[in-house]
Amino acid sequence: MKIGVAAENRPLEKRVALQPEELKSIAKNHQVFVEAGAGLSLGIIDAEYIAVGCKIAPREKVYAADLVIRIKEPNHSEVKLMKPHSILMSMMHLRCEPELERNLVKQKIIAIPLENIKNSIGKRIVEAVMDCGRIGVDFGFKLWGKDPAKAKVKIMGYGNISRGAVQEAARKLAHVEVLNRKHFEEMEKHLPGTDILVDAVNRPFRRAVKHELPFVTREMLKLLKPGSVIIDLVSNPVGHAPVETMKPTTLKDPYFVLDGIYHTSLWGWPAMDPEKISKRYSMQIAPLVKVIAARGLDGAPPPIKNAVIRLDRGEKVV
Amino acid sequence: MKLAIAKEARLNERRVVILPKELKSIAAKHQVLVERDLGQGVGVANQEYERVGATVVSKTEVYACPLVVRIKEPIEAELKLMRPGSCIFSMMHLRSRPHLVSLLKRYKVSAISMEDIRDQFGTRVIEALHETGYLGMMKGFELWGKEPARAVVKIMGYGNVAQGAIQAAARKFAKVIVLNKRDINVMEKHIPGTDILVDGIYWPYHLRGKAYLVTRKMLKLFKPGAVIVDLVANPAGKSPIETVHPTTLADISYKTDGVLHAACWGWPGFDPVGVSQRYSLQVSTVLRQITKKGLTNLPEPIKKAYFEVKP
């Protein structure tokens, strides 16, 4: 099986899905093409990939492999480079990315969204969920600019994403309050006195709805002190965020100020801690790649099989 | 390799360490004994274990096996039944149980401590930490007796166990405040107004028994009817709360100075079916590795959890 490891190419993105150490045992038995310069931002030079038996290749060749791996979803022109019926392994979040879905369907791609690979007790195998909350809150503290120990942090939501946020805020000695569903309905009561509002609400994305009803409206922003920070850990698409004025931001431009309030909603928070996250993902992804390469999709264990979406055969995203 | 699955013997304990579905592939390759009525507490009959290839035997026969598997650590009477040179695979928490260590040495039994097996990221492989917090919190509401939505819940700690309690309390619409290290240093400021105080902190060994965060004197600062839920259930005197001592599933709470205390040794026991399923999946994966290579050839993560006593 030919395996392609693509470079992440969004501005300021430094991560790479697989590092030489983890590729070593895979490259022994399979042809691995690594996009030129893929690890450079982390200080991994092409020679290190070559040393473990990988080949350095231009982008066209990497995307023409049987199995293409990267962290973030590819863009349209990259999808077009892929062979029909080849496999793409990356984060996809297809539910809120209908355009990506259309591109993949058109190109007849077998999708394995990394976020859908779960072990027998339902835990994601490739994840940095706790880190996501930690990194988001840390960036929020940075924007706020004062001593985190003086911050009053309110965290909406209490799922996995919220956990990292609670932990980090408490570690930094902030005052932490967790807001529940009932509180969401009356945010005007909970905003006054809040320095940092963290949105970690996991609302299922509904494609049919253009504008979800927000919990925090633009009108309510004036209840926050100027210079307060709102962090969206989920990076909801515009119109779907529980905070009306929120929209996804990028590494290059990670925040904006509206009505005196900092807004930040990075599409892929873990990217802000590239070294640690890249290594983590590499360790999590490598065993999956190894088993797919060895046994093919049909012989893959249930966590992988269950995540496969045969977009090439008309299977739909649910 | 011959191995045996023991029944949890504590009062009201209904969990089972491994279910027939997960035992099947192991029993296909190894001789597996299961204690009679092993799955009774979760509605699994002896025949279901027999159907996957296990043999149903008495308690004595189970403990005479070279490898004995269960969830909670055995008591002395059970260890006595074990043969010198055999091995127990269960939760052990040996660091806080010196008495158990001396028993293992006395009966020349080795142990693989479930709680010490960690994956490449340092995460526990066999655990129900979130469930511990979740179930403890739910029991706390029950003990408090009023509408959870009206409770002010303060949670000491923010690790895996504490996070389970945070989720449970938030789902029940309680007001949830997380107490950080600075807060737990001045508990007298945070106790007033608290309905349910949850202890979910990892209390370092060198502080155990030497200092307390919540002293007996502070209990009078609680509102009448308040509840203390200790999720960690450290041995008596070793909790950060002076008046806490471990309780059991059969008798989970006691009152001291007007404040209800609950510190169940094994909170996950309150969801026997769910937690058994979870453990079964987690334990079977490790058990397959143990039986594959034998005790003399354990993979690194398991070796780290191995406390060897030479016969």
Side-chain angles (χ1 to χ4, degrees):
Chain A
M1 185 177 257
K2 283 186 189 160
I3 298 164
V5 180
E8 305 298 317
N9 46 10
R10 288 180 172 73
L12 299 189
E13 172 67 83
K14 293 183 172 169
R15 297 173 297 173
V16 60
L18 285 163
Q19 298 191 8
E21 198 185 340
E22 284 74 35
L23 274 175
K24 198 172 176 178
S25 64
I26 300 170
K28 240 184 231 159
N29 302 314
H30 303 276
Q31 271 188 294
V32 180
F33 298 97
V34 178
E35 189 172 336
L40 219 47
S41 311
L42 291 171
I44 303 170
I45 57 176
D46 290 352
E48 295 177 64
Y49 281 105
I50 295 173
V52 297
C54 302
K55 293 188 177 72
I56 300 302
R59 172 175 301 179
E60 293 71 27
K61 190 145 191 197
V62 168
Y63 281 97
D66 305 308
L67 170 61
V68 178
I69 302 148
R70 51 179 295 167
I71 297 174
K72 279 283 185 193
E73 74 283 359
N75 63 33
H76 192 191
S77 65
E78 289 156 343
V79 171
K80 271 187 171 161
L81 296 172
M82 291 185 70
K83 280 193 306 192
H85 310 292
S86 61
I87 309 168
L88 173 67
M89 265 180 114
S90 78
M91 302 286 176
M92 290 181 209
H93 300 281
L94 287 172
R95 262 175 76 103
C96 40
E97 296 277 346
E99 198 190 316
L100 175 66
E101 187 194 354
R102 269 195 303 277
N103 294 337
L104 294 174
V105 168
K106 215 191 276 166
Q107 201 71 9
K108 297 198 173 20
I109 300 301
I110 305 170
I112 309 183
L114 291 174
E115 72 275 12
N116 287 1
I117 306 178
K118 295 182 178 165
N119 71 7
S120 56
I121 49 174
K123 222 181 128 227
R124 268 175 64 169
I125 291 177
V126 184
E127 53 84 25
V129 177
M130 283 292 274
D131 296 280
C132 181
R134 170 179 63 84
I135 295 163
V137 164
D138 269 343
F139 186 67
F141 281 138
K142 222 192 231 169
L143 289 177
W144 192 56
K146 286 171 248 176
D147 179 6
K150 291 193 181 122
K152 206 159 187 191
V153 177
K154 294 198 184 170
I155 298 177
M156 303 166 72
Y158 33 88
N160 286 327
I161 288 276
S162 142
R163 293 174 51 191
V166 170
Q167 204 168 74
E168 186 60 14
R171 273 202 187 127
K172 291 272 162 83
L173 305 180
H175 177 91
V176 180
E177 197 173 328
V178 179
L179 301 183
N180 63 47
R181 279 174 199 224
K182 228 182 225 168
H183 298 143
F184 301 164
E185 312 284 328
E186 39 177 40
M187 285 305 289
E188 65 283 359
K189 277 192 199 161
H190 298 281
L191 291 177
T194 306
D195 297 305
I196 298 180
L197 179 71
V198 180
D199 166 22
V201 182
N202 181 14
R203 267 205 307 202
F205 181 87
R206 295 189 294 176
R207 276 188 180 181
V209 182
K210 256 223 153 79
H211 289 281
E212 293 278 0
L213 217 58
F215 299 133
V216 178
T217 60
R218 175 156 194 175
E219 187 64 12
M220 288 184 204
L221 289 188
K222 61 173 187 283
L223 298 172
L224 290 166
K225 283 176 262 181
S228 301
V229 180
I230 306 179
I231 309 166
D232 182 338
L233 291 176
V234 188
S235 196
N236 291 290
V238 179
H240 290 264
V243 177
E244 188 179 14
T245 47
M246 191 58 79
K247 59 173 192 250
T249 59
T250 61
L251 277 172
K252 216 174 156 187
D253 204 3
Y255 71 92
F256 59 95
V257 182
L258 191 78
D259 295 353
I261 308 299
Y262 287 99
H263 289 61
T264 181
S265 172
L266 193 67
W267 175 236
W269 279 108
M272 271 200 183
D273 186 358
E275 228 158 281
K276 189 174 165 204
I277 302 298
S278 178
K279 188 69 189 166
R280 183 182 172 86
Y281 280 157
S282 182
M283 288 164 79
Q284 292 172 336
I285 295 172
L288 305 171
V289 173
K290 208 187 271 185
V291 69
I292 294 175
R295 301 197 220 156
L297 271 191
D298 294 329
I304 297 174
K305 253 190 179 162
N306 294 341
V308 173
I309 311 174
R310 298 292 307 236
L311 295 172
D312 61 329
R313 288 190 194 155
E315 191 179 333
K316 290 275 180 295
V317 175
V318 278
Chain B
M1 191 174 195
K2 191 171 161 186
L3 62 140
I5 317 296
K7 190 171 189 295
E8 305 301 313
R10 288 176 172 78
L11 200 57
N12 286 13
E13 175 64 86
R14 292 168 51 201
R15 292 175 297 172
V16 56
V17 69
I18 190 163
L19 295 162
K21 191 167 167 239
E22 281 77 35
L23 193 60
K24 193 172 177 182
S25 69
I26 297 166
K29 290 189 187 138
H30 304 275
Q31 189 185 350
V32 178
L33 309 179
V34 301
E35 188 171 335
R36 181 156 292 115
D37 298 333
L38 173 68
Q40 204 175 36
V42 291
V44 177
N46 289 328
Q47 292 90 313
E48 294 178 63
Y49 279 103
E50 284 171 335
R51 218 172 290 143
V52 297
T55 313
V56 175
V57 297
S58 71
K59 186 180 188 115
T60 321
E61 284 168 277
V62 160
Y63 282 94
C65 210
L67 177 64
V68 181
V69 188
R70 54 179 292 172
I71 298 174
K72 281 271 175 208
E73 78 283 2
I75 57 170
E76 184 171 1
E78 288 156 343
L79 278 173
K80 236 185 214 170
L81 297 172
M82 290 183 73
R83 304 249 166 102
S86 61
C87 180
I88 176 88
F89 175 35
S90 74
M91 303 285 177
M92 298 300 282
H93 296 281
L94 293 177
R95 259 196 92 177
S96 49
R97 295 195 160 62
H99 180 60
L100 188 55
V101 175
S102 58
L103 286 178
L104 290 172
K105 286 182 179 160
R106 185 180 310 157
Y107 297 107
K108 307 223 178 313
V109 172
S110 300
I112 300 172
S113 308
M114 282 179 180
E115 76 279 6
D116 288 337
I117 305 175
R118 286 164 190 272
D119 71 7
Q120 53 185 355
F121 302 106
T123 310
R124 268 177 64 171
V125 173
I126 304 172
E127 49 85 21
L129 298 171
H130 187 85
E131 287 68 13
T132 300
Y134 201 96
L135 295 162
M137 188 71 242
M138 289 302 193
K139 218 63 200 176
F141 283 128
E142 219 172 274
L143 291 170
W144 190 55
K146 284 170 251 179
E147 167 68 31
R150 282 168 39 211
V152 173
V153 176
K154 296 197 183 170
I155 298 178
M156 303 161 71
Y158 35 85
N160 286 317
V161 171
Q163 299 274 357
I166 291 172
Q167 191 174 74
R171 282 210 178 129
K172 287 281 178 188
F173 304 123
K175 184 178 169 79
V176 179
I177 290 169
V178 181
L179 302 181
N180 61 38
K181 281 197 179 165
R182 179 179 299 180
D183 301 327
I184 59 177
N185 202 37
V186 284
M187 285 305 290
E188 64 278 11
K189 277 195 194 161
H190 297 281
I191 293 174
T194 306
D195 294 305
I196 303 177
L197 180 69
V198 179
D199 167 26
I201 58 177
Y202 168 80
W203 192 226
Y205 285 91
H206 66 278
L207 300 177
R208 291 186 186 184
K210 303 215 169 61
Y212 298 104
L213 298 176
V214 178
T215 61
R216 177 179 281 268
K217 263 194 188 151
M218 291 183 199
L219 292 188
K220 62 173 186 294
L221 300 173
F222 277 100
K223 286 195 212 166
V227 178
I228 295 176
V229 177
D230 189 314
L231 298 172
V232 192
N234 290 319
K238 308 272 164 124
S239 161
I241 300 172
E242 188 177 4
T243 47
V244 157
H245 63 74
T247 59
T248 63
L249 285 172
D251 190 6
I252 65 163
S253 66
Y254 59 91
K255 210 170 214 173
T256 300
D257 296 354
V259 178
L260 262 180
H261 292 55
C264 192
W265 177 236
W267 282 112
F270 282 111
D271 177 16
V273 174
V275 171
S276 295
Q277 260 159 15
R278 184 180 172 87
Y279 278 149
S280 183
L281 287 159
Q282 296 172 336
V283 167
S284 59
T285 314
V286 177
L287 203 50
R288 266 194 293 273
Q289 291 171 31
I290 296 175
T291 51
K292 195 170 170 189
K293 301 254 175 94
L295 291 173
T296 48
N297 224 340
L298 293 171
E300 210 41 50
I302 305 177
K303 206 186 261 172
K304 281 192 185 140
Y306 188 38
F307 176 78
E308 193 178 5
V309 181
K310 291 256 180 348

